[in-house]
Amino acid sequence: MEHSVPDSTPPFFAIHGERSGRVIVVGAGAGGMMAAGRAAEMGTNVLLLEKTDGPGKKILVSGKNRCNLTNARDLEDFFSMYGPNGRFLQGAFHRFFRDDLLAFFARYGVETKVERGGRIFPLSDDAADIVKAFGRYLKDYGVKIRTGVSVNGIAVRAGFVEGVRTEEGLLPARAVILATGGATWQTTGSTGDGYRMAAAVGHTVTKLRPALVPLVVIEVERAKSMQGVSLRNVRLTAFRGPAEAIDPALTPAKDTGRGVEKRRRKGPVIESRMGEMLFTHFGIGGPITLLMSLSVVDALAEGPVSVAIDLKPALTAQELRVRLQRDFDNFGKRGFRSLLAGLLPHKMVEPFIEMTGIPADRPGHQISAAEREKLLGLLKALRFNIRGALPMTAAIVTAGGVALGEIDPRTMASRLVSGLFFCGEVMDIDADTGGYNLQAAFSTGFVAGEEAAKLLLS
Ligand SMILES: Cc1cc2nc3c(=O)[nH]c(=O)nc-3n(C[C@H](O)[C@H](O)[C@H](O)COP(=O)(O)OP(=O)(O)OC[C@H]3O[C@@H](n4cnc5c(N)ncnc54)[C@H](O)[C@@H]3O)c2cc1C
């Protein structure tokens, strides 16, 4: 299906396009639309190919349909959000960063607002406004968009891009920008095609792993019994080794992990986060679980991993011990079930009765010190062994991708094939939640578009 070739296309673009060939952008997602628009704005003839029936499908579902498009944090803080690969983005961010992005959207009528954690959303809370803004941008600069076209290969001759292969045959181009995204949430069109296409022309694709993904526990029945409970202000810590080997004394008092620390941790603690999480029918999910999921997935490749949930992180073990003793004495006639109800969400009371083995109706003053210690241990370190993560299709982003050493960070150009460029998630880039993934796609898309255009115009 062919979309707009606007009547308003300035003749300059057409003439230029004929003279110097065209740019083909594969994938009309965040990176691809930015790349296509920028290449056309620079004065080249651009064809944007999208395999689904419309552009920006993943943008539409992003940020719970509100699109957390970037973040208000400082540039320096951004880099740590992408783990060890963050520095690759330095050049792209210096050329096109948050303020440029916000100015771009303002130009197309999208006002924005900043929320908790610096997250930036459209003022309308509607991700569709972001896609519409791109629609206007692409139209303004005469980008030709074809949807329902699946690219299945990059044509290369003697080290130079010749075009792309589709079911219709070869579509010639002097520059190709691969913007096919990752391999997650496949209904949005990102099915990992770009990895296969890049590998077919000689690029290395680093190991693909799900990131920002819920975790499956071995004690699945236990998790299920608390399914739907959302915990706020708890500390979740992932440890190397099985749950029974966890030493709760090693639980850090502060967050550790990507975006917080510069280096990857060695030793038993993998990552620790305070915030919100939830129990599901298979294990654990929610914001802090997603944030630490990639470290857990990577650590699982090396051996067993377990987690401990500190349900009362504001109190030290000793403070909690004193409090339990005081409460159980003060309300000594109340049964254990009723005492637990004052400490835990309703749905966690029965599982705690089972785990402690303390009879539900035992009065507080009859609960022994040893039994109180058992309860204390569970409140400070509710343990689960991790079986794995949900599959790639359920992850928010794909970790791994086209190896960054084979891409020039100043231009997003392939170091192996002349005329081939990359942008967005197809590269070995992934970030924490907070708008960082989309900013990376927009910034690298901008650079790839501009550089592809420069190649044609030179
Ligand atoms: C549920 C969910 C919520 C998210 N929320 C946020 C958020 O709020 N903030 C944030 O920063 N990030 C968020 N992300 C991540 C973010 O959306 C992605 O990292 C980002 O969209 C990647 O942009 P991209 O351009 O690289 O790829 P995509 O946006 O995935 O676009 C790739 C496009 O390429 C097309 N394509 C693929 N293969 C072919 C082919 N063979 N031929 C033609 N076209 C092809 C696809 O159909 C798709 O349209 C979220 C992700 C998910 C799944």
Side-chain angles (χ1 to χ4, degrees):
M1 192 182 158
E2 193 141 314
H3 287 257
S4 62
V5 190
D7 299 329
S8 60
T9 305
F12 166 71
F13 295 125
I15 292 165
H16 217 111
E18 274 158 29
R19 206 179 58 208
S20 47
R22 68 176 165 190
V23 177
I24 286 185
V25 181
V26 187
M33 288 194 284
M34 182 60 88
R38 185 61 187 155
E41 195 176 356
M42 295 280 291
T44 52
N45 184 359
V46 181
L47 174 62
L48 174 56
L49 300 174
E50 166 57 43
K51 78 171 180 183
T52 70
D53 60 3
K57 289 257 154 80
K58 198 168 267 180
I59 294 179
L60 292 174
V61 300
S62 70
K64 300 203 168 100
N65 308 105
R66 297 199 302 134
C67 187
N68 173 200
L69 53 132
T70 183
N71 196 286
R73 290 177 75 160
D74 289 345
L75 177 61
E76 263 314 303
D77 293 339
F78 258 67
F79 295 122
S80 63
M81 297 296 170
Y82 304 87
N85 291 345
R87 287 283 151 192
F88 175 85
L89 293 167
Q90 206 159 4
F93 283 171
H94 276 114
R95 266 167 76 177
F96 187 86
F97 190 50
R98 178 196 44 242
D99 292 350
D100 309 295
L101 184 70
L102 298 182
F104 165 81
F105 283 122
R107 200 167 104 205
Y108 285 95
V110 182
E111 287 184 66
T112 52
K113 59 177 171 183
V114 182
E115 293 191 2
R116 186 172 48 89
R119 286 153 202 257
I120 298 181
F121 292 87
L123 194 59
S124 61
D125 282 329
D126 189 355
D129 285 348
I130 298 295
V131 179
K132 282 185 204 150
F134 273 115
R136 289 194 287 275
Y137 182 44
L138 300 177
K139 189 164 186 237
D140 275 0
Y141 291 98
V143 173
K144 189 189 273 187
I145 308 178
R146 289 187 61 201
T147 57
V149 178
S150 183
V151 172
N152 48 43
I154 303 157
V156 177
R157 192 159 56 167
F160 286 84
V161 151
E162 271 194 318
V164 297
R165 288 198 203 85
T166 68
E167 277 181 355
E168 301 165 17
L170 178 80
L171 298 177
R174 274 192 53 204
V176 170
I177 302 175
L178 201 61
T180 45
T184 66
W185 231 267
Q186 302 202 343
T187 48
T188 61
S190 45
T191 49
D193 298 1
Y195 303 125
R196 292 184 282 277
M197 289 191 261
V201 297
H203 274 280
T204 309
V205 176
T206 63
K207 192 173 172 208
L208 305 178
R209 293 102 72 212
L212 302 179
V213 67
L215 297 173
V216 182
V217 300
I218 289 178
E219 301 81 359
V220 68
E221 287 307 319
R222 174 80 61 227
K224 215 173 180 173
S225 68
M226 299 183 279
Q227 179 182 350
V229 174
S230 178
L231 299 166
R232 281 168 190 268
N233 296 322
V234 294
R235 175 167 293 288
L236 178 67
T237 306
F239 290 86
R240 276 174 250 281
E244 59 274 19
I246 288 176
D247 176 1
L250 295 178
T251 301
K254 287 191 181 146
D255 284 6
T256 65
R258 186 147 88 168
V260 184
E261 286 174 317
K262 298 256 179 305
R263 286 209 192 107
R264 234 184 122 190
R265 282 201 155 234
K266 295 218 163 60
V269 173
I270 299 165
E271 197 161 326
S272 183
R273 304 266 182 179
M274 175 123 153
E276 193 178 336
M277 61 165 289
L278 54 88
F279 291 108
T280 65
H281 64 284
F282 53 79
I284 54 173
I288 54 176
T289 309
L290 299 196
L291 280 177
M292 67 170 69
S293 59
L294 180 58
S295 315
V296 168
V297 167
D298 285 345
L300 273 169
E302 291 158 16
V305 173
S306 52
V307 294
I309 305 162
D310 183 349
L311 294 159
K312 303 286 172 195
L315 301 175
T316 64
Q318 180 53 21
E319 285 165 346
L320 185 57
R321 185 174 288 117
V322 171
R323 188 183 142 184
L324 288 179
Q325 190 166 4
R326 191 194 59 206
D327 288 358
F328 286 18
D329 286 346
N330 286 351
F331 307 104
K333 287 191 181 141
R334 278 198 201 160
F336 182 52
R337 179 183 280 118
S338 154
L339 290 165
L340 276 183
L343 286 166
L344 292 165
H346 172 70
K347 216 173 170 184
M348 292 179 79
V349 169
E350 287 307 319
F352 262 67
I353 291 171
E354 205 179 293
M355 283 186 280
T356 55
I358 303 171
D361 52 1
R362 177 166 296 170
H365 61 81
Q366 282 179 24
I367 294 172
S368 69
E371 286 170 332
R372 274 201 313 269
E373 278 304 302
K374 182 115 198 244
L375 173 62
L376 175 76
L378 287 167
L379 289 170
K380 288 300 284 176
L382 179 59
R383 302 162 195 224
F384 290 92
N385 287 287
I386 301 297
R387 187 187 297 284
L390 281 192
M392 192 74 104
T393 45
I396 304 272
V397 279
T398 311
V402 178
L404 299 181
E406 297 167 0
I407 303 171
D408 184 339
R410 293 162 305 176
T411 60
M412 300 299 138
S414 161
R415 293 190 197 272
L416 310 183
V417 178
S418 286
L420 176 61
F421 296 81
F422 299 94
C423 64
E425 210 180 307
V426 72
M427 300 188 292
D428 185 4
I429 291 280
D430 69 277
D432 283 357
T433 49
Y436 306 104
N437 284 297
L438 281 170
Q439 179 69 58
F442 293 136
S443 293
T444 55
F446 180 90
V447 172
E450 193 162 289
E451 293 295 329
K454 280 189 197 161
L455 180 76
L456 264 69
L457 300 173
S458 62

